Amino acid sequence: MTETSSGAVLVLGGARSGKSAFAEGLVTASGLLRHYIATGRAFDEEMRERIAHHRKDRGDGWVTHEEPLALAARINEMARPDRAVLVDCLTLWVTNLMLEERDMVAEFSGLLDAIKTAPGRLILVSNEVGLGIVPDNRMARDFRDHAGRLHQKVAALVPEVYFLAAGLPLKMKG
Amino acid sequence: MTETSSGAVLVLGGARSGKSAFAEGLVTASGLLRHYIATGRAFDEEMRERIAHHRKDRGDGWVTHEEPLALAARINEMARPDRAVLVDCLTLWVTNLMLEERDMVAEFSGLLDAIKTAPGRLILVSNEVGLGIVPDNRMARDFRDHAGRLHQKVAALVPEVYFLAAGLPLKMKG
Amino acid sequence: MTETSSGAVLVLGGARSGKSAFAEGLVTASGLLRHYIATGRAFDEEMRERIAHHRKDRGDGWVTHEEPLALAARINEMARPDRAVLVDCLTLWVTNLMLEERDMVAEFSGLLDAIKTAPGRLILVSNEVGLGIVPDNRMARDFRDHAGRLHQKVAALVPEVYFLAAGLPLKMKG
């Protein structure tokens, strides 16, 4: 937890808080080659619309990868000193892991290792989901717990953390 | 989005975060005539109680207007150089627009124009609603999306933005 | 509301935001004797697991008290100049009061008096729950209102307030 990754950033925020646009701005500002890892899966029309909408917002000049599960391996594969890799988002990855009943401890540990060793810039976007009323169902509570624990681990590791609200970044670390 | 309104403020926060009291304090501190635009509609007893409670908290010296839908027109009508106009709140206005199936793009655009040209002080209160678990129903998800997009647009336009928690303001911009 | 308690701190945050660990760090850093007041009641297996998990995280060197309801009296009894007392958490206490249909105004007033007069260090942990979609049921809405009002009162009283996200503290006051 004391080791610090050099080029990684965590961008946290609520729904429609502007976190993806802010993260894309960090990538563009880096001047590096732009790679995008989408963790969401298009199960239904609404999700397809949201993904298409995000892709349109990003514009040209991006190489897009879809990776719902093997995120650590994909980061290891994609990260290069001349690339900025944007992962959008960790919470959808957690959802996918839960649906597949993966071992969260092992998965999180693998991701942290990938973050530690990634060259270039690595921008991780995630949703803060723990600031509402306790959800009625156990799965949603477990999801909040997993997401929150992952955010703590990633935030302890990376040198820069932002919290977004209304499109405005608040620097929490760095 | 680069044009900046001179006297407008966005006050964001959660339920019972003290955002209305903080916004009222901004109005009082301005020394201007106090106008209040309430966007909420009293559908039921609970809502009537909440509105009466807010009105009692404000005390005397306010002129209160009720405007559930035509917010831009009402701001255009009420704003004067010698007045501070408090709008409470944008999220209830978004709810009303959705229930009436209005064109959100046109409505938001109209509001942004009204904010840009309003003389005097204009204080806009809104609820941050995007930091909990993704809601089960589509309408609640759409509401979160509309509210979040509106917050981003307003925050980009106005020179001052605050985020309230436990009655304490955090300056996000300005 | 203008009187200020000398050694009290409010630690607010979402689920799994790291607020308990941060609060425990404040206690340890004080060098005082460590006392812990747990307000949660173990109704079911999940809650028992969560409580056991918290206790294990704290480690040795703590005296633990369980107090679901008479929190003010317990603080009056436990607080000493050579002790740091951690209350985890106010929101579970509010839940317990609601289930027992207690008079919230009187209970909150009693707690505020206990905070004002407590010698030593007093660290109060609480969940921010007002930043999601408005809940469907009245009891959850009332809970949000009670919790939010209590947070405002406590935050106005104590000299230090932190908001935690992803394990990172944001100083709101002090």
Side-chain angles (χ1 to χ4, degrees), chain B residues 13-18 46 49-50 53 127-132 135 140 143-144 163-170, chain C residues 10 12 128 130-134 136 138 141-142 144-149 151-153 155-156 161 163 170-173:
Chain B
R16 295 287 163 199
S17 63
E46 183 185 350
E49 280 171 24
R50 285 171 189 261
H53 193 275
N127 271 63
E128 173 57 55
V129 294
L131 288 158
F143 169 68
R144 290 206 316 174
F163 186 91
L164 268 280
L168 303 171
L170 180 73
Chain C
L10 176 63
L12 271 180
E128 174 56 55
L131 289 158
I133 286 286
V134 179
D136 286 335
R138 172 90 197 224
R141 287 195 300 277
D142 286 346
R144 292 206 314 173
D145 287 354
H146 288 311
R149 283 198 196 101
H151 294 161
Q152 288 187 49
K153 286 176 196 291
V161 180
F163 186 91
L170 180 73
K171 201 169 207 174
M172 299 286 292
K173 181 180 179 182

Side-chain angles (χ1 to χ4, degrees), chain C residues 37 80 124:
Chain C
I37 302 177
R80 296 278 181 278
L124 304 148

Side-chain angles (χ1 to χ4, degrees), chain B residues 35 58 67 96 104 106 133:
Chain B
H35 284 257
R58 274 200 303 285
E67 186 51 72
N96 296 335
M104 308 303 277
I133 287 286

Side-chain angles (χ1 to χ4, degrees), chain C residues 59-102:
Chain C
D60 295 332
W62 291 81
V63 182
T64 301
H65 314 267
E66 295 189 10
E67 186 51 71
L69 290 165
L71 183 57
R74 186 65 80 128
I75 290 171
N76 288 336
E77 183 193 325
M78 302 313 310
R80 296 278 181 278
D82 61 345
R83 291 180 182 172
V85 176
L86 197 172
V87 176
D88 198 350
C89 62
L90 296 184
T91 24
L92 285 173
W93 176 61
V94 169
T95 304
N96 296 336
L97 292 177
M98 287 179 73
L99 292 173
E100 302 275 341
E101 301 186 5
R102 296 292 175 97

Side-chain angles (χ1 to χ4, degrees), chain B residues 37-96:
Chain B
I37 301 178
T39 58
R41 286 197 282 199
F43 284 117
D44 58 19
E45 190 51 35
E46 183 185 350
M47 196 67 195
R48 265 188 295 274
E49 280 171 24
R50 285 171 189 261
I51 290 173
H53 193 275
H54 266 294
R55 190 185 281 251
K56 191 168 152 284
D57 280 353
R58 274 200 303 285
D60 294 332
W62 291 81
V63 183
T64 300
H65 314 267
E66 295 188 10
E67 186 51 72
L69 290 165
L71 183 57
R74 185 66 79 126
I75 290 171
N76 288 336
E77 184 194 325
M78 303 312 310
R80 297 277 181 280
D82 61 345
R83 289 181 182 172
V85 176
L86 197 171
V87 176
D88 197 350
C89 63
L90 297 184
T91 23
L92 285 174
W93 177 61
V94 168
T95 303
N96 296 335

